[in-house]
Amino acid sequence: MLFRKKQKGKIDESRVPTHVAFIMDGNGRWAKKRAMPRTYGHKVGVDSMGVVIRHALELKIKYVSFYAFSTENWNRPQDEVDEIFRLMADAIERRRQWFMDNNVRFMTIGDLSRLDKKLQEKLKDFKEATKNNNGLTVNVAINYGSRNEIVRAVNKIISDGLKSVDEKTFAKYLDSGEIPDPDFVVRTSGEQRLSNFMLYQNAYAELYFPKTYWPDFREKEMDEAIVEFQSRDRKFGAIKTPMKKDSK
Ligand code: IPE
Ligand code: IPE
Ligand code: MG
């Protein structure tokens, strides 16, 4: 379709990515700019998550992942860590009914065993309640690190007595085993690194680093991100250009 080039800036709803993964960065800087405590940035950041989830549903994206707390984030002041987990527990309470009403499944990746027992229960309960919802899947990375996930997978493989595995089997042993790899990684705040996020799964993801701080990342910014994704030429090592095949 030749006219597509003229529609620059518009989303083609027939070609949205299947799985978009967000590295939600810049909450602290966003708050600092407003002379507010870092935790205020996290609070408003949770609102951005809500907006992005709602918009993903509208765009008929099937999977969204959010990096909420890394294995390295324990190195932050205790107050900040406590507040991040408090906000998480609070969001689960407040959004539960919405997830049910909108056929949205909740899941997590990461090692939850280090979290407060009550929060562990809450997360388990929320996953259980939404496990048959099949519209959108919201995957939240909590106490997540790729290296930690890979090593846990290897240990599970050993304890299952497997002598060798292929790529497909190995991927199944990761926490994200049942969901497809991200097509698109969006890291806000201008930092250009993966910070130990889904390294195995992101082997062929398109990467995008908007300058916007996460609390300001809303519908408009998400639309811009999807337009950016749709302008990329995904090749997977081959020569064909499947995404642009009908625009030439
Ligand atoms: C991301 O924002 C949220 C988490 C890592 C939990 P930051 O808290 O990293 O914000 P900056 O990078 O300090 O601005
Ligand atoms: C990555 O952000 C982790 C999350 C978004 C949860 P950080 O702000 O912790 O990453 P670094 O320290 O800048 O790499
Ligand atoms: Mg940061």
Side-chain angles (χ1 to χ4, degrees), residues 55-70:
H55 200 38
L57 203 58
E58 284 163 3
L59 292 171
K60 300 196 170 60
I61 292 169
K62 293 294 287 178
Y63 300 86
V64 277
S65 290
F66 295 96
Y67 202 3
F69 193 88
S70 75

Side-chain angles (χ1 to χ4, degrees), residues 154-196:
V154 169
N155 283 320
K156 271 184 258 168
I157 289 165
I158 294 169
S159 70
D160 281 358
L162 275 70
K163 286 264 180 328
S164 72
V165 289
D166 56 17
E167 287 182 14
K168 211 170 156 193
T169 310
F170 182 75
K172 291 263 179 250
Y173 272 89
L174 295 171
D175 298 340
S176 63
E178 350 154 6
I179 64 172
D181 290 341
D183 303 291
F184 191 35
V185 175
V186 179
R187 182 178 188 144
T188 55
S189 88
E191 306 296 341
Q192 303 192 10
R193 56 179 170 270
L194 290 173
S195 301
N196 206 7

Side-chain angles (χ1 to χ4, degrees), residues 9-25:
K10 286 243 171 67
I11 293 176
D12 175 349
E13 290 186 6
S14 68
R15 293 189 306 134
V16 296
T18 303
H19 183 175
V20 186
F22 295 93
I23 302 177
M24 309 184 283
D25 201 11

Side-chain angles (χ1 to χ4, degrees), residues 82-99:
D82 290 347
E83 181 60 10
I84 290 171
F85 288 121
R86 197 196 63 74
L87 286 166
M88 236 179 243
D90 179 62
I92 292 171
E93 293 289 322
R94 287 187 297 117
R95 310 280 187 175
R96 190 184 174 108
Q97 193 56 47
W98 185 90
F99 270 66

Side-chain angles (χ1 to χ4, degrees), residues 24-29 38 42 68 73 76 80 84:
M24 309 184 283
D25 201 11
N27 292 352
R29 278 163 284 168
R38 294 177 54 83
H42 298 314
N73 287 147
R76 296 189 178 201
E80 181 175 344
I84 290 171

